[in-house]
Amino acid sequence: MSGPIAVDLEAEKEYYYCTCGKSKGKAFCDGSHKGCGFTPMKFSVNESKEYHICTCQKSSNEPFCDGSHTK
Ligand code: FES
């Protein structure tokens, strides 16, 4: 069970959330997914602030933590 990471994100900037679980730069894609069939999820935010990004990949609101890692 792994909890979320807190990161400062900038409004309107494109981010790529790792969906394969292989990235060494969790929770963002570092290209390690090549050849495994997964592709990163592109996302952006409307407001520049700190966000909690899911690392357990159980959130129903990916890439954001919804508390599912505690269940
Ligand atoms: S490294 Fe996991 S989706 Fe790219």
Side-chain angles (χ1 to χ4, degrees):
M1 178 170 65
S2 54
I5 58 167
V7 291
D8 290 317
L9 301 181
E10 291 177 38
E12 311 305 333
K13 185 176 174 181
E14 289 184 354
Y15 295 97
Y16 292 86
Y17 174 65
C18 173
T19 61
C20 76
K22 293 182 177 181
S23 174
K24 292 175 180 60
K26 281 186 179 174
F28 299 99
C29 175
D30 68 356
S32 298
H33 63 270
K34 288 194 173 75
C36 77
F38 284 86
T39 54
M41 174 194 294
K42 186 169 96 174
F43 74 100
S44 61
V45 294
N46 294 328
E47 187 181 349
S48 296
K49 65 175 187 174
E50 182 181 273
Y51 291 85
H52 292 99
I53 304 297
C54 172
T55 63
C56 75
Q57 298 179 319
K58 292 179 184 168
S59 173
S60 54
N61 188 34
E62 284 185 315
F64 306 104
C65 174
D66 70 353
S68 294
H69 64 279
T70 62
K71 297 173 188 157

